[in-house]
Amino acid sequence: MRKHDSELDESLFVHAPLEENKAEEIADHPTGFWIESLQRLKKNRGAVIGFIVILIISLLAIFGPIMNKYDYNTQDLTRSNLPPLVEGLERVGFDGTDSHGKNIYEDRSISNEPAWIGTDEFGRDLWTRVWRGTQISMLIALVAAFLDLLIGVIYGSVSAFYGGKIDNVMQRIIEILVGIPNLILIILFILIFEPGIITIILAMVITGWVNMARIVRGQILQLKSQEFILASRVLGASNRQLIWKHLIPNTMGPIIVTLMFTIPTAIFFEAFLSFIGIGIQPPLASLGTLIEDGYQDMRFFSYKLIFPAVIISAIMISFNVLGDGLRDALDPKMRK
Amino acid sequence: MSKYILQRFIYMMITLFIIVTITFFVMRLLPGTPFSNPEKLSEAQLEIMNAKYGLDKPLAVQYFTYLGNLVQGDLGLSFQSQGRTVINVIASRIGPSALIGGQAMIIGFIIGLVLGVISALKHNTIYDYGSVFIAVLGMSIPSFVFAALIQYFIGVKLGWLPVALWEGYSYSIMPSIALSVLVIATVARFIRSEMLEVLGQDYVLTARAKGISEEVVIIRHVLRNALIPVVTVVGPLSVSIMTGTLVIEKIFAVPGLGEQFTLSILVNDYSVIMGITLFFSALFIFVIFLVDVLYVILDPRIKLKREG
């Protein structure tokens, strides 16, 4: 809506200086694309919070398991199914009582270090297990995302840059791959090979790179007909230089955004596979296996389900919000 | 137009053929034998069993027999349930899955539409932030985590709805809600951004300038044009519904295809696994095909230019 004319008067206007040399003065320091994007990102409160949450969870995933004396895999049946107990937080539910309100710690006269968020049926400390599980889930997601990035960027840039017949064939392959539901391929892949971290990563990469390749190709197709590429080519740059020095750096924005959405997808698939029993195998734990274990016991030991469920949800929400924020910040079309 | 449809159709057939081939060879590559107690069977019994399931012939012959049977709708016999064909197993399981999947789509589209419209009309207000927040939650929280949590809080703690099993209509409500979360989130986000874009179009300005009432502008001009691209999310959504049924049916003990699939994985019933895989893939590919064609028919602005 435009302001009404009556609200505007002479006093609001300042005459432009008449000196000729001042006419093209730049008001502010020139800022590069990345600095400007960062400034835009900082203004997005959700994205900043998402980033901080990811940072905190990553630090806890690394240092959480060594914050108490328990190991993720040492069984101790005298400590089985202990409810959460944190000294000082008894009021908000961490009071060591089970679903019937009975204090298990007093009942079994356990006096050594309490389990902060409880223990599982074998007496393994859940705090340690949850952070070990987060480590493994994050590791799988990061490696899968990195491989997607590598294959996707190479495939997409080659396809777009060389064009013609090569592009045609490469695009037809992608079109067929996109048509296959990826979960089905992932499950079939895992059924053939032994379930494990590497199998899960490879299974996710088989179809995961396609999205990245499509985005990189689209970007490079737009870029490659622009003048600066022609200029560089005229100056004698080789194809390799053109791709790595000009095209890929200019595609970085969409690549980063896609990566931000690849990571939560990978975390979801890993948890999904572990939940239906063909993912990470014991004694290793991931967020998916912990949720599965917690789900089995949720009627009487709901804390076993709730803690890993909260962590995985927090990770997924943070990555999605950060990804949204980055997309808005890096998209030059949104620039005001 | 008809050239485009034909082209899409050919792609659909090629993709299907590739999936059929992949599933056939995956089945041969799988570890272990398909029979439940191979160590108890004698050599002669094994030979009879192999002959019964056609496993004694060369691979190429098996492949073409498989293709031939497939064209006639024959997916073979289940390895674990005695004397039942795979088609039979699938047919007996499809009802509950279709019910909760369909309900999830309907619930999801209605709530998603309402949230998206509120969001766009009250852009940058507390209502907008509220529905964007709900949409982000829906996109992010894994469906099985959400399902487990509502099962615990609504089913076990509050006792409002039956916790699990399949003994009446009320048993289908919680699984449908759990499945609909992602649909709500996707539709809400999509409608919001589409409506914001349409609101800035010149024809909306023209309509307003003509003095048409705001409701008519919103319903006749904005919403109608914003709804067309929503067709494109039906494809991805049907995939996520399908993915969701695999775990959600397990969680709520719904006797549907997803539950059968996870069960068959655990007991190595390969022919059923492959049958359901093919069924899901074919369904998905067909939905994508329909969506592509429908989109071109609905929106004449789409130019059918050849890519590449």
Side-chain angles (χ1 to χ4, degrees):
Chain A
M1 293 292 139
R2 286 191 187 85
K3 276 191 180 167
H4 228 269
D5 281 348
S6 59
E7 288 172 31
L8 304 173
D9 58 53
E10 280 291 312
S11 67
L12 288 169
F13 296 92
V14 179
H15 284 282
L18 279 176
E19 298 110 293
E20 242 170 55
N21 56 342
K22 276 201 165 183
E24 296 212 354
E25 196 181 38
I26 294 166
D28 207 348
H29 285 292
T31 43
F33 173 70
W34 293 106
I35 295 172
E36 209 184 317
S37 303
L38 191 66
Q39 283 166 353
R40 273 198 298 271
L41 188 66
K42 276 187 194 157
K43 280 186 200 148
N44 186 333
R45 221 179 298 155
V48 172
I49 295 172
F51 179 73
I52 293 172
V53 172
I54 293 169
L55 208 65
I56 293 173
I57 289 180
S58 309
L59 287 176
L60 278 171
I62 297 167
F63 298 111
I66 51 174
M67 280 166 76
N68 60 20
K69 60 181 180 132
Y70 300 110
D71 178 33
Y72 81 100
N73 197 26
T74 308
Q75 304 190 358
D76 179 359
L77 291 179
T78 59
R79 292 175 59 84
S80 70
N81 292 331
L82 286 180
L85 171 64
V86 182
E87 273 155 42
L89 286 180
E90 283 90 347
R91 282 203 185 165
V92 286
F94 294 87
D95 53 1
T97 54
D98 67 4
S99 53
H100 304 292
K102 200 164 65 176
N103 191 323
I104 302 293
Y105 288 86
E106 285 170 9
D107 211 39
R108 294 203 216 147
S109 57
I110 289 166
S111 53
N112 54 355
E113 216 175 307
W116 292 330
I117 57 172
T119 58
D120 70 2
E121 55 185 338
F122 302 115
R124 295 178 293 197
D125 182 58
L126 267 187
W127 172 269
T128 317
R129 281 181 73 72
V130 163
W131 296 119
R132 279 287 296 195
T134 311
Q135 263 178 32
I136 289 182
S137 292
M138 292 279 241
L139 175 82
I140 290 176
L142 289 177
V143 175
F146 175 74
L147 291 177
D148 280 355
L149 174 82
L150 202 67
I151 302 174
V153 168
I154 293 174
Y155 194 99
S157 50
V158 167
S159 176
F161 187 78
Y162 291 101
K165 265 194 189 138
I166 297 178
D167 184 41
N168 222 331
V169 172
M170 287 173 99
Q171 281 322 106
R172 294 299 91 82
I173 294 174
I174 281 197
E175 247 163 84
I176 289 164
L177 274 177
V178 165
I180 305 174
N182 53 357
L183 186 79
I184 300 267
L185 264 194
I186 291 175
I187 290 177
L188 291 181
F189 189 87
I190 290 176
L191 285 179
I192 303 175
F193 301 99
E194 287 286 292
I197 294 181
I198 294 171
T199 319
I200 294 177
I201 291 175
L202 290 180
M204 289 195 293
V205 172
I206 285 184
T207 54
W209 60 272
V210 173
N211 199 17
M212 183 67 88
R214 286 181 125 187
I215 281 162
V216 172
R217 175 178 175 268
Q219 284 291 314
I220 290 189
L221 273 185
Q222 268 181 24
L223 287 169
K224 81 169 187 181
S225 55
Q226 288 183 11
E227 280 78 8
F228 72 97
I229 298 295
L230 185 67
S232 187
R233 207 191 279 276
V234 169
L235 289 171
S238 66
N239 281 346
R240 211 195 163 128
Q241 272 175 322
L242 280 178
I243 291 184
W244 288 105
K245 287 255 165 77
H246 292 293
L247 294 173
I248 290 183
N250 278 299
T251 331
M252 263 344 253
I255 289 178
I256 291 174
V257 173
T258 315
L259 205 59
M260 276 301 138
F261 291 111
T262 313
I263 294 172
T265 312
I267 289 180
F268 168 77
F269 271 129
E270 181 281 315
F272 180 90
L273 294 171
S274 298
F275 190 79
I276 62 173
I278 56 173
I280 299 291
Q281 302 297 313
L284 281 180
S286 74
L287 289 173
T289 58
L290 288 167
I291 291 169
E292 155 73 1
D293 291 346
Y295 169 69
Q296 302 296 347
D297 279 354
M298 75 175 179
R299 198 173 271 258
F300 301 110
F301 308 105
S302 55
Y303 60 88
K304 288 186 197 170
L305 169 67
I306 289 169
F307 289 110
V310 167
I311 302 293
I312 199 173
S313 304
I315 294 176
M316 302 279 291
I317 294 168
S318 304
F319 269 108
N320 276 325
V321 173
L322 182 60
D324 278 344
L326 277 171
R327 185 172 50 201
D328 293 346
L330 292 171
D331 190 349
K333 277 180 280 179
M334 299 277 290
R335 241 192 255 198
K336 279 166 198 156
Chain B
M1 179 66 140
S2 54
K3 199 182 154 201
Y4 173 77
I5 294 176
L6 187 73
Q7 190 198 350
R8 298 298 323 167
F9 186 78
I10 292 170
Y11 270 121
M12 179 171 86
M13 295 322 275
I14 294 175
T15 315
L16 263 180
F17 175 73
I18 288 173
I19 290 173
V20 168
T21 309
I22 292 176
T23 46
F24 174 80
F25 286 102
V26 162
M27 216 159 142
R28 295 295 166 268
L29 283 171
L30 285 173
T33 66
F35 308 119
S36 45
N37 290 308
E39 59 279 0
K40 283 186 191 158
L41 299 172
S42 70
E43 281 292 309
Q45 279 173 315
L46 263 179
E47 253 171 50
I48 295 168
M49 292 287 269
N50 278 333
K52 185 182 173 195
Y53 290 101
L55 295 172
D56 54 340
K57 299 195 183 70
L59 205 59
V61 176
Q62 286 186 36
Y63 178 61
F64 285 108
T65 322
Y66 180 72
L67 283 185
N69 288 341
L70 204 64
V71 174
Q72 298 164 33
D74 179 4
L75 290 168
L77 294 170
S78 163
F79 287 143
Q80 300 290 342
S81 351
Q82 281 301 313
R84 293 186 71 190
T85 61
V86 174
I87 285 288
N88 203 318
V89 172
I90 292 178
S92 69
R93 290 286 191 144
I94 205 164
S97 294
L99 178 67
I100 60 170
Q103 284 189 155
M105 274 281 191
I106 295 168
I107 300 172
F109 262 90
I110 294 173
I111 300 180
L113 186 68
V114 171
L115 284 179
V117 170
I118 291 175
S119 225
L121 293 183
K122 311 244 173 196
H123 188 43
N124 282 340
T125 64
I126 189 93
Y127 302 101
D128 182 21
Y129 300 142
S131 26
V132 168
F133 183 67
I134 294 174
V136 168
L137 286 189
M139 295 288 280
S140 308
I141 299 175
S143 53
F144 59 93
V145 172
F146 182 75
L149 290 176
I150 62 169
Q151 188 181 35
Y152 177 68
F153 286 108
I154 298 179
V156 178
K157 279 262 167 173
L158 299 169
W160 288 349
L161 286 166
V163 176
L165 290 176
W166 192 253
E167 285 158 8
Y169 179 71
S170 61
Y171 289 79
S172 76
I173 297 173
M174 262 208 294
S176 305
I177 292 173
L179 265 182
S180 71
V181 174
L182 197 63
V183 185
I184 294 176
T186 314
V187 173
R189 277 168 76 117
F190 205 82
I191 293 270
R192 175 176 182 270
S193 66
E194 283 299 321
M195 270 188 78
L196 286 178
E197 206 188 310
V198 174
L199 278 169
Q201 296 283 330
D202 288 343
Y203 61 78
V204 176
L205 193 66
T206 311
R208 284 200 175 126
K210 284 197 298 185
I212 302 175
S213 73
E214 190 63 19
E215 291 84 54
V216 178
V217 173
I218 296 298
I219 293 169
R220 293 248 323 251
H221 294 272
V222 180
L223 201 55
R224 255 175 82 173
N225 283 298
L227 273 175
I228 297 171
V230 175
V231 176
T232 52
V233 298
V234 172
L237 279 180
S238 57
V239 181
S240 52
I241 291 256
M242 195 184 80
T243 313
T245 50
L246 295 186
V247 271
I248 280 166
E249 286 179 6
K250 183 189 168 200
I251 289 176
F252 292 103
V254 175
L257 274 179
E259 205 242 350
Q260 177 69 52
F261 190 73
T262 40
L263 190 80
S264 301
I265 288 177
L266 292 181
V267 299
N268 287 349
D269 194 343
Y270 299 145
S271 57
V272 174
I273 297 176
M274 295 307 146
I276 296 178
T277 302
L278 280 181
F279 180 79
F280 273 155
S281 309
L283 194 69
F284 166 65
I285 291 165
F286 186 64
V287 168
I288 295 279
F289 169 73
L290 273 187
V291 166
D292 280 356
V293 171
L294 202 63
Y295 192 47
V296 179
I297 295 172
L298 284 177
D299 195 343
R301 286 173 303 181
I302 307 268
K303 278 195 206 114
L304 292 177
K305 58 167 189 236
R306 271 187 61 107
E307 269 182 79

